[in-house]
Amino acid sequence: MGWSHARLGDYAQALTCCRQALPLLEEFDDRERQAHAWDSIAYAHHYLGQHSQAVTCYRHALDLCRDLGDRPLEADILNRFGDAHHAAHDPDAAHDDWQHALDILTELDHPHADQIRVKLAALNFAGSVPGAEARPAARGL
């Protein structure tokens, strides 16, 4: 429910639902749903302009999904993490997150890889504006 509220723009309600769900998910050791809950909490913080909270929550979500070995979820979270870093005016971190997401999606031959390529191309183009620092075409994490 929290993700649905977040996608509908009701970020406060999304935070409430997800925070209420976390203790239950922890009690039942449902790490996959915990990762989704942390991702939803991070997304809500991002769109509330609370970038440091979003970063902390995305890290929790990433740690959980990496422990599970869920590569598609990891790429999804990295994509949104990149969005949060970009909104917080941290293009280097956004680039790293999106590049890592692209690496995973390319490895999985996932159709959403092109969406990440577009973000990276736009970020690289912005870096080529006169007076702006140029960015390398690709970086590893």
Side-chain angles (χ1 to χ4, degrees):
M1 281 188 69
W3 179 245
S4 296
H5 283 292
R7 295 294 292 171
L8 292 170
D10 190 354
Y11 306 115
Q13 187 61 40
L15 289 172
T16 299
C17 288
C18 291
R19 286 182 180 142
Q20 288 175 345
L22 273 175
L24 295 171
L25 297 170
E26 290 168 359
E27 181 180 335
F28 290 106
D29 197 31
D30 189 338
R31 297 176 63 74
E32 181 179 354
R33 286 194 178 91
Q34 286 176 51
H36 286 282
W38 280 113
D39 178 43
S40 298
I41 291 169
Y43 181 89
H45 280 303
H46 167 148
Y47 283 97
L48 287 169
Q50 301 164 343
H51 302 296
S52 63
Q53 294 96 322
V55 166
T56 299
C57 295
Y58 276 128
R59 283 197 182 116
H60 284 298
L62 278 173
D63 287 345
L64 286 162
C65 75
R66 285 175 175 157
D67 286 347
L68 295 167
D70 189 334
R71 303 287 282 162
L73 178 59
E74 181 180 357
D76 217 21
I77 292 169
L78 282 164
N79 179 30
R80 285 190 287 279
F81 203 0
D83 294 344
H85 277 126
H86 189 259
H89 307 290
D90 188 348
D92 291 332
H95 182 276
D96 290 346
D97 294 333
W98 289 335
Q99 184 62 56
H100 195 172
L102 177 60
D103 293 345
I104 293 168
L105 294 175
T106 300
E107 177 185 317
L108 298 173
D109 196 26
H110 197 283
H112 291 156
D114 286 340
Q115 294 171 358
I116 307 298
R117 284 186 188 96
V118 169
K119 290 180 181 186
L120 284 166
L123 191 63
N124 288 333
F125 176 77
S128 66
V129 173
E133 196 173 85
R135 301 189 48 78
R139 291 190 340 209
L141 290 178

CSV table of all heavy atoms in Angstrom, one decimal, residues 33-70:
chain,number,residue,atom,x,y,z
A,33,ARG,N,10.3,-8.1,1.1
A,33,ARG,CA,9.4,-7.0,1.3
A,33,ARG,C,9.9,-5.9,2.1
A,33,ARG,O,9.5,-4.7,1.9
A,33,ARG,CB,8.1,-7.6,1.9
A,33,ARG,CG,7.3,-8.3,0.8
A,33,ARG,CD,5.9,-8.6,1.3
A,33,ARG,NE,5.1,-9.3,0.3
A,33,ARG,CZ,5.1,-10.7,0.1
A,33,ARG,NH1,5.7,-11.4,1.0
A,33,ARG,NH2,4.4,-11.2,-0.9
A,34,GLN,N,10.9,-6.2,3.0
A,34,GLN,CA,11.6,-5.1,3.7
A,34,GLN,C,12.3,-4.2,2.7
A,34,GLN,O,12.3,-3.0,2.8
A,34,GLN,CB,12.6,-5.7,4.7
A,34,GLN,CG,12.0,-6.3,5.9
A,34,GLN,CD,13.1,-6.9,6.8
A,34,GLN,OE1,14.1,-6.3,7.1
A,34,GLN,NE2,12.9,-8.2,7.2
A,35,ALA,N,13.0,-4.8,1.7
A,35,ALA,CA,13.7,-4.1,0.7
A,35,ALA,C,12.7,-3.2,-0.1
A,35,ALA,O,13.0,-2.0,-0.3
A,35,ALA,CB,14.4,-5.0,-0.3
A,36,HIS,N,11.6,-3.7,-0.4
A,36,HIS,CA,10.6,-2.9,-1.1
A,36,HIS,C,10.0,-1.8,-0.2
A,36,HIS,O,9.8,-0.7,-0.7
A,36,HIS,CB,9.4,-3.8,-1.6
A,36,HIS,CG,9.7,-4.7,-2.7
A,36,HIS,ND1,9.8,-4.2,-4.0
A,36,HIS,CD2,10.0,-6.0,-2.8
A,36,HIS,CE1,10.1,-5.1,-4.8
A,36,HIS,NE2,10.2,-6.2,-4.1
A,37,ALA,N,9.9,-2.1,1.1
A,37,ALA,CA,9.4,-1.0,2.0
A,37,ALA,C,10.4,0.1,2.1
A,37,ALA,O,10.1,1.3,2.0
A,37,ALA,CB,9.1,-1.6,3.4
A,38,TRP,N,11.7,-0.2,2.3
A,38,TRP,CA,12.7,0.8,2.4
A,38,TRP,C,12.8,1.6,1.1
A,38,TRP,O,13.0,2.8,1.1
A,38,TRP,CB,14.1,0.2,2.7
A,38,TRP,CG,14.2,-0.1,4.2
A,38,TRP,CD1,14.3,-1.4,4.8
A,38,TRP,CD2,14.3,0.8,5.2
A,38,TRP,NE1,14.5,-1.2,6.1
A,38,TRP,CE2,14.5,0.1,6.4
A,38,TRP,CE3,14.3,2.2,5.3
A,38,TRP,CZ2,14.6,0.7,7.7
A,38,TRP,CZ3,14.4,2.8,6.5
A,38,TRP,CH2,14.6,2.1,7.7
A,39,ASP,N,12.7,0.9,-0.1
A,39,ASP,CA,12.7,1.6,-1.4
A,39,ASP,C,11.5,2.6,-1.4
A,39,ASP,O,11.7,3.7,-1.9
A,39,ASP,CB,12.6,0.5,-2.5
A,39,ASP,CG,12.5,1.1,-3.9
A,39,ASP,OD1,13.3,2.1,-4.1
A,39,ASP,OD2,11.7,0.6,-4.7
A,40,SER,N,10.4,2.2,-1.0
A,40,SER,CA,9.2,3.1,-1.0
A,40,SER,C,9.4,4.3,0.0
A,40,SER,O,9.0,5.4,-0.4
A,40,SER,CB,7.9,2.3,-0.6
A,40,SER,OG,7.7,1.3,-1.5
A,41,ILE,N,10.0,4.0,1.1
A,41,ILE,CA,10.2,5.1,2.1
A,41,ILE,C,11.2,6.1,1.4
A,41,ILE,O,11.0,7.3,1.5
A,41,ILE,CB,10.8,4.5,3.4
A,41,ILE,CG1,9.7,3.7,4.1
A,41,ILE,CG2,11.3,5.6,4.3
A,41,ILE,CD1,10.1,2.9,5.3
A,42,ALA,N,12.3,5.5,0.8
A,42,ALA,CA,13.3,6.4,0.2
A,42,ALA,C,12.6,7.2,-0.9
A,42,ALA,O,12.9,8.4,-1.0
A,42,ALA,CB,14.4,5.5,-0.4
A,43,TYR,N,11.8,6.6,-1.7
A,43,TYR,CA,11.1,7.3,-2.8
A,43,TYR,C,10.3,8.4,-2.3
A,43,TYR,O,10.3,9.6,-2.8
A,43,TYR,CB,10.2,6.3,-3.6
A,43,TYR,CG,9.5,6.8,-4.8
A,43,TYR,CD1,10.1,6.8,-6.0
A,43,TYR,CD2,8.2,7.3,-4.7
A,43,TYR,CE1,9.4,7.3,-7.1
A,43,TYR,CE2,7.5,7.7,-5.8
A,43,TYR,CZ,8.1,7.7,-7.0
A,43,TYR,OH,7.4,8.2,-8.1
A,44,ALA,N,9.5,8.2,-1.2
A,44,ALA,CA,8.7,9.3,-0.6
A,44,ALA,C,9.6,10.4,-0.1
A,44,ALA,O,9.3,11.6,-0.3
A,44,ALA,CB,7.9,8.7,0.5
A,45,HIS,N,10.7,10.1,0.6
A,45,HIS,CA,11.6,11.1,1.1
A,45,HIS,C,12.1,11.9,-0.1
A,45,HIS,O,12.2,13.2,0.0
A,45,HIS,CB,12.7,10.5,1.9
A,45,HIS,CG,12.3,10.2,3.3
A,45,HIS,ND1,11.8,11.1,4.2
A,45,HIS,CD2,12.4,9.0,4.0
A,45,HIS,CE1,11.6,10.5,5.4
A,45,HIS,NE2,12.0,9.2,5.3
A,46,HIS,N,12.5,11.2,-1.1
A,46,HIS,CA,13.0,11.9,-2.3
A,46,HIS,C,12.1,13.0,-2.8
A,46,HIS,O,12.4,14.1,-3.0
A,46,HIS,CB,13.3,10.9,-3.4
A,46,HIS,CG,13.6,11.4,-4.8
A,46,HIS,ND1,14.4,10.8,-5.7
A,46,HIS,CD2,13.1,12.5,-5.4
A,46,HIS,CE1,14.5,11.5,-6.8
A,46,HIS,NE2,13.7,12.6,-6.7
A,47,TYR,N,10.8,12.6,-3.0
A,47,TYR,CA,9.8,13.5,-3.5
A,47,TYR,C,9.3,14.5,-2.5
A,47,TYR,O,8.7,15.5,-2.9
A,47,TYR,CB,8.7,12.8,-4.2
A,47,TYR,CG,9.2,12.3,-5.6
A,47,TYR,CD1,9.6,11.0,-5.7
A,47,TYR,CD2,9.2,13.1,-6.7
A,47,TYR,CE1,10.1,10.5,-7.0
A,47,TYR,CE2,9.7,12.7,-7.9
A,47,TYR,CZ,10.1,11.4,-8.0
A,47,TYR,OH,10.6,11.0,-9.2
A,48,LEU,N,9.7,14.3,-1.3
A,48,LEU,CA,9.4,15.4,-0.3
A,48,LEU,C,10.6,16.3,-0.1
A,48,LEU,O,10.6,17.3,0.7
A,48,LEU,CB,9.1,14.7,1.1
A,48,LEU,CG,7.8,14.0,1.2
A,48,LEU,CD1,7.7,13.2,2.5
A,48,LEU,CD2,6.6,15.0,1.2
A,49,GLY,N,11.6,16.1,-0.9
A,49,GLY,CA,12.8,16.9,-0.9
A,49,GLY,C,13.7,16.6,0.2
A,49,GLY,O,14.6,17.4,0.5
A,50,GLN,N,13.5,15.5,0.9
A,50,GLN,CA,14.4,15.1,2.0
A,50,GLN,C,15.5,14.1,1.5
A,50,GLN,O,15.4,12.9,1.7
A,50,GLN,CB,13.5,14.5,3.1
A,50,GLN,CG,12.4,15.4,3.6
A,50,GLN,CD,11.2,14.7,4.3
A,50,GLN,OE1,11.1,13.5,4.2
A,50,GLN,NE2,10.5,15.5,5.0
A,51,HIS,N,16.4,14.7,0.9
A,51,HIS,CA,17.4,13.9,0.1
A,51,HIS,C,18.3,13.1,1.0
A,51,HIS,O,18.6,11.9,0.7
A,51,HIS,CB,18.2,14.8,-0.8
A,51,HIS,CG,17.4,15.6,-1.7
A,51,HIS,ND1,16.7,15.0,-2.7
A,51,HIS,CD2,17.2,16.9,-1.9
A,51,HIS,CE1,16.0,15.9,-3.4
A,51,HIS,NE2,16.3,17.1,-2.9
A,52,SER,N,18.7,13.6,2.2
A,52,SER,CA,19.6,12.8,3.0
A,52,SER,C,18.9,11.6,3.6
A,52,SER,O,19.4,10.5,3.7
A,52,SER,CB,20.2,13.6,4.2
A,52,SER,OG,19.2,14.1,5.0
A,53,GLN,N,17.6,11.7,3.9
A,53,GLN,CA,16.8,10.6,4.4
A,53,GLN,C,16.6,9.6,3.2
A,53,GLN,O,16.7,8.4,3.4
A,53,GLN,CB,15.4,11.0,4.9
A,53,GLN,CG,15.5,11.8,6.2
A,53,GLN,CD,15.5,13.3,5.9
A,53,GLN,OE1,16.0,13.8,4.9
A,53,GLN,NE2,14.8,14.1,6.8
A,54,ALA,N,16.4,10.1,2.0
A,54,ALA,CA,16.2,9.2,0.9
A,54,ALA,C,17.5,8.4,0.6
A,54,ALA,O,17.4,7.2,0.4
A,54,ALA,CB,15.9,10.0,-0.4
A,55,VAL,N,18.6,9.0,0.7
A,55,VAL,CA,19.9,8.3,0.5
A,55,VAL,C,20.1,7.2,1.5
A,55,VAL,O,20.4,6.1,1.2
A,55,VAL,CB,21.1,9.3,0.5
A,55,VAL,CG1,22.4,8.6,0.7
A,55,VAL,CG2,21.1,10.2,-0.7
A,56,THR,N,19.8,7.5,2.8
A,56,THR,CA,19.9,6.5,3.9
A,56,THR,C,19.0,5.3,3.6
A,56,THR,O,19.4,4.2,3.7
A,56,THR,CB,19.6,7.2,5.2
A,56,THR,OG1,20.6,8.2,5.5
A,56,THR,CG2,19.7,6.1,6.4
A,57,CYS,N,17.8,5.6,3.2
A,57,CYS,CA,16.8,4.6,3.0
A,57,CYS,C,17.1,3.7,1.8
A,57,CYS,O,16.9,2.5,1.8
A,57,CYS,CB,15.4,5.1,3.0
A,57,CYS,SG,14.9,5.9,4.5
A,58,TYR,N,17.6,4.4,0.7
A,58,TYR,CA,18.0,3.6,-0.5
A,58,TYR,C,19.1,2.7,-0.1
A,58,TYR,O,19.2,1.6,-0.6
A,58,TYR,CB,18.3,4.5,-1.6
A,58,TYR,CG,17.2,5.0,-2.4
A,58,TYR,CD1,17.0,6.4,-2.7
A,58,TYR,CD2,16.2,4.1,-3.0
A,58,TYR,CE1,15.9,6.8,-3.4
A,58,TYR,CE2,15.1,4.6,-3.7
A,58,TYR,CZ,15.0,5.9,-3.9
A,58,TYR,OH,13.9,6.4,-4.6
A,59,ARG,N,20.0,3.1,0.7
A,59,ARG,CA,21.1,2.2,1.1
A,59,ARG,C,20.6,1.0,1.8
A,59,ARG,O,21.1,-0.1,1.6
A,59,ARG,CB,22.1,3.0,2.0
A,59,ARG,CG,23.0,3.9,1.2
A,59,ARG,CD,24.3,4.3,1.9
A,59,ARG,NE,25.0,5.2,1.0
A,59,ARG,CZ,25.2,6.5,1.3
A,59,ARG,NH1,24.8,7.1,2.4
A,59,ARG,NH2,25.9,7.3,0.4
A,60,HIS,N,19.6,1.2,2.7
A,60,HIS,CA,19.0,0.0,3.4
A,60,HIS,C,18.4,-0.9,2.4
A,60,HIS,O,18.6,-2.2,2.5
A,60,HIS,CB,17.9,0.5,4.4
A,60,HIS,CG,18.4,1.1,5.7
A,60,HIS,ND1,19.2,0.4,6.6
A,60,HIS,CD2,18.2,2.3,6.2
A,60,HIS,CE1,19.5,1.1,7.6
A,60,HIS,NE2,18.9,2.3,7.4
A,61,ALA,N,17.7,-0.4,1.5
A,61,ALA,CA,17.0,-1.2,0.4
A,61,ALA,C,18.0,-2.0,-0.4
A,61,ALA,O,17.9,-3.2,-0.7
A,61,ALA,CB,16.1,-0.3,-0.5
A,62,LEU,N,19.1,-1.3,-0.8
A,62,LEU,CA,20.1,-1.9,-1.6
A,62,LEU,C,20.8,-3.0,-0.8
A,62,LEU,O,21.1,-4.1,-1.4
A,62,LEU,CB,21.2,-0.9,-2.0
A,62,LEU,CG,20.8,-0.1,-3.3
A,62,LEU,CD1,21.9,1.0,-3.5
A,62,LEU,CD2,20.7,-1.0,-4.5
A,63,ASP,N,21.1,-2.8,0.4
A,63,ASP,CA,21.8,-3.8,1.2
A,63,ASP,C,20.9,-5.1,1.3
A,63,ASP,O,21.4,-6.2,1.1
A,63,ASP,CB,22.1,-3.3,2.7
A,63,ASP,CG,23.2,-2.3,2.7
A,63,ASP,OD1,24.0,-2.2,1.8
A,63,ASP,OD2,23.3,-1.6,3.8
A,64,LEU,N,19.6,-4.9,1.5
A,64,LEU,CA,18.7,-6.0,1.6
A,64,LEU,C,18.6,-6.8,0.3
A,64,LEU,O,18.7,-8.0,0.2
A,64,LEU,CB,17.3,-5.6,2.1
A,64,LEU,CG,17.2,-5.2,3.5
A,64,LEU,CD1,16.0,-4.4,3.8
A,64,LEU,CD2,17.2,-6.5,4.4
A,65,CYS,N,18.4,-6.1,-0.8
A,65,CYS,CA,18.2,-6.8,-2.1
A,65,CYS,C,19.5,-7.4,-2.6
A,65,CYS,O,19.5,-8.5,-3.2
A,65,CYS,CB,17.6,-5.9,-3.2
A,65,CYS,SG,18.7,-4.7,-3.9
A,66,ARG,N,20.7,-6.8,-2.2
A,66,ARG,CA,22.0,-7.5,-2.6
A,66,ARG,C,22.2,-8.7,-1.8
A,66,ARG,O,22.7,-9.7,-2.3
A,66,ARG,CB,23.1,-6.5,-2.3
A,66,ARG,CG,23.2,-5.4,-3.4
A,66,ARG,CD,24.2,-4.4,-3.2
A,66,ARG,NE,24.3,-3.5,-4.3
A,66,ARG,CZ,24.8,-2.3,-4.2
A,66,ARG,NH1,25.3,-1.8,-3.0
A,66,ARG,NH2,24.9,-1.5,-5.3
A,67,ASP,N,21.8,-8.7,-0.5
A,67,ASP,CA,21.8,-10.0,0.3
A,67,ASP,C,21.0,-11.1,-0.3
A,67,ASP,O,21.3,-12.2,-0.2
A,67,ASP,CB,21.4,-9.7,1.8
A,67,ASP,CG,22.4,-8.9,2.6
A,67,ASP,OD1,23.6,-8.8,2.1
A,67,ASP,OD2,22.0,-8.4,3.7
A,68,LEU,N,19.8,-10.7,-0.9
A,68,LEU,CA,18.9,-11.6,-1.5
A,68,LEU,C,19.4,-12.1,-2.9
A,68,LEU,O,18.9,-13.1,-3.4
A,68,LEU,CB,17.5,-11.0,-1.6
A,68,LEU,CG,16.8,-10.7,-0.3
A,68,LEU,CD1,15.6,-9.8,-0.6
A,68,LEU,CD2,16.4,-12.0,0.4
A,69,GLY,N,20.3,-11.3,-3.5
A,69,GLY,CA,20.7,-11.6,-4.8
A,69,GLY,C,19.7,-11.2,-5.9
A,69,GLY,O,19.7,-11.8,-7.0
A,70,ASP,N,18.8,-10.3,-5.6
A,70,ASP,CA,17.8,-9.9,-6.5
A,70,ASP,C,18.3,-8.8,-7.4
A,70,ASP,O,18.2,-7.6,-7.1
A,70,ASP,CB,16.5,-9.4,-5.7
A,70,ASP,CG,15.3,-9.2,-6.6
A,70,ASP,OD1,15.5,-8.9,-7.8
A,70,ASP,OD2,14.2,-9.3,-6.0
